[in-house]
Amino acid sequence: ITRGFLNLTHHGSREAPRALVPGETVTARVQLKAISYVLPVGHRLRLALQTSYWPWVWPSPEIVELCVLTDGASVLLLPVRNSPETEPPTPVHFSKPEAAPGLGVEVLHQPTGGRTSVYDAATGRHTTTDFPAFFAGLRLPDHGGITFGEVDRDDWEIVEGDPLSARVSCKRTLELGRGEWQTRIDVLSVMTCTRDSFLVSTTLEAFEGNVRVFTRSWDHRIPRQLV
């Protein structure tokens, strides 16, 4: 239904995080994202607590074990809305939005997304590949026949029991052209980590036709600072 995250080194404050002491008991408040949900009669809510949530959250540098005190020390607080039968919703009325006339658009092809996950039992490696479907291939016939296309790919990899093996690569290909004039930009960004730093490497290549006219690479090392 919803989820929430908290780096426990921030349990006191986000402005002044501090490292946890093994065996020390701390009080933490984890706020879930706001959501509207009707729980059917007879159903129950399940609260799941875990120390990792890959690939939504980058894992800690080492395997973590937590002991949650549930005997009166932990509580789930849920805001509850009164039943619509006793509190009818107030209708909301909006005026019709104003907008400029839209561009004439010809769809050349629809975006084709998808996601696959592979687990290698021999190495313990999990690989998830995602093809986000953001934009269709388009042509603007009223503007000289400009065409636009985009292809995206994201890969997440991690080996069971080894948080430092986490790796993410994001590839973007953008194409823009008109008639014989065709351009393309390829960008690949890869993020890995060590115990102390995040490592990000990015390469950009720009092409006119099949000729590469520009390229540049960046490398960044970002301190983890209790992340």
Side-chain angles (χ1 to χ4, degrees):
I1 299 174
T2 186
R3 60 177 65 90
F5 309 108
L6 174 66
N7 182 336
L8 280 178
T9 65
H10 294 203
H11 74 274
S13 76
R14 296 192 182 277
E15 293 76 19
R18 67 178 183 88
L20 298 177
V21 178
E24 178 185 17
T25 299
V26 300
T27 300
R29 180 183 179 90
V30 182
Q31 185 170 348
L32 305 178
K33 290 183 176 294
I35 193 71
S36 175
Y37 184 80
V38 177
L39 189 68
V41 175
H43 286 221
R44 294 187 298 174
L45 291 173
R46 179 177 71 99
L47 177 64
L49 299 176
Q50 53 200 50
T51 58
S52 62
Y53 200 56
W54 176 262
W56 283 78
V57 178
W58 198 272
S60 301
E62 58 190 52
I63 298 297
V64 175
E65 290 187 6
L66 294 180
C67 178
V68 180
L69 304 178
T70 59
D71 188 13
S74 300
V75 62
L76 173 64
L77 301 176
L78 293 175
V80 179
R81 185 181 184 275
N82 293 331
S83 171
E85 287 76 13
T86 59
E87 183 187 328
T90 302
V92 178
H93 299 282
F94 296 98
S95 58
K96 186 176 180 179
E98 296 182 4
L103 297 174
V105 175
E106 176 185 348
V107 177
L108 300 179
H109 56 80
Q110 293 292 344
T112 54
R115 176 175 295 179
T116 60
S117 292
V118 177
Y119 172 64
D120 188 331
T123 63
R125 180 177 298 277
H126 293 263
T127 303
T128 299
T129 300
D130 186 33
F131 296 92
F134 293 126
F135 299 101
L138 304 177
R139 180 176 178 273
L140 305 181
D142 298 333
H143 292 74
I146 293 178
T147 57
F148 171 82
E150 178 176 350
V151 178
D152 308 304
R153 173 172 176 160
D154 300 325
D155 292 276
W156 299 278
E157 300 179 28
I158 196 168
V159 175
E160 276 188 3
D162 183 8
L164 297 181
S165 66
R167 181 182 187 274
V168 176
S169 65
C170 301
K171 185 175 182 180
R172 300 290 183 264
T173 296
L174 303 177
E175 297 179 332
L176 181 68
R178 180 192 288 123
E180 296 182 356
W181 175 74
Q182 298 293 323
T183 64
R184 186 179 87 249
I185 295 178
D186 292 333
V187 182
L188 175 63
S189 188
V190 177
M191 179 172 171
T192 57
C193 70
T194 65
R195 180 172 296 274
D196 303 315
S197 303
F198 296 112
L199 309 175
V200 182
S201 300
T202 303
T203 299
L204 180 148
E205 296 179 295
F207 296 84
E208 184 170 1
N210 294 321
V211 179
R212 188 175 69 177
V213 296
F214 178 82
T215 183
R216 182 178 175 184
S217 296
W218 300 264
D219 292 295
H220 298 281
R221 178 182 290 269
I222 305 167
R224 295 192 68 142
Q225 296 179 342
L226 300 179
V227 175

